[in-house]
Amino acid sequence: AEVQELAGRILLAQKESRGAVERFRKALSISSSNVRALVALGNYYRESGDFPTALKFYETAALVSPLHPEGAIGAEELQTQ
């Protein structure tokens, strides 16, 4: 799962968003509690303007790892918009 998540980050940095999303989702299919993949998808959907989907990923990340700052902050930011 970690390899898929890392590949997703690399693809996202290369502006290959479709491939990145596929890798993040693959990471989650291997390990549904991969917080980094959840947060990365939340960030992707937030930047794409799909706030409801972004919030879903942030909230899931916060449930899986309540102390992970990006999940909590991302969800809080979207709820205040």
Side-chain angles (χ1 to χ4, degrees):
E2 291 178 16
V3 171
Q4 296 297 327
E5 182 269 329
L6 181 57
R9 288 187 183 276
I10 291 168
L11 288 168
L12 203 54
Q14 296 173 340
K15 307 292 187 212
E16 298 285 339
S17 57
R18 178 174 283 173
V21 169
E22 288 174 11
R23 293 297 184 125
F24 292 137
R25 290 190 178 274
K26 176 107 172 150
L28 291 175
S29 74
I30 295 167
S31 173
S32 62
S33 62
N34 186 314
V35 176
R36 288 179 294 206
L38 289 165
V39 170
L41 282 166
N43 291 341
Y44 168 77
Y45 284 110
R46 181 182 67 192
E47 291 169 12
S48 297
D50 186 348
F51 300 125
T53 302
L55 185 59
K56 179 184 86 169
F57 282 107
Y58 287 138
E59 288 175 338
T60 303
L63 286 173
V64 169
S65 181
L67 299 178
H68 194 281
E70 286 186 71
I73 290 169
E76 190 63 33
E77 286 177 352
L78 284 178
Q79 290 174 351
T80 59
Q81 288 184 357

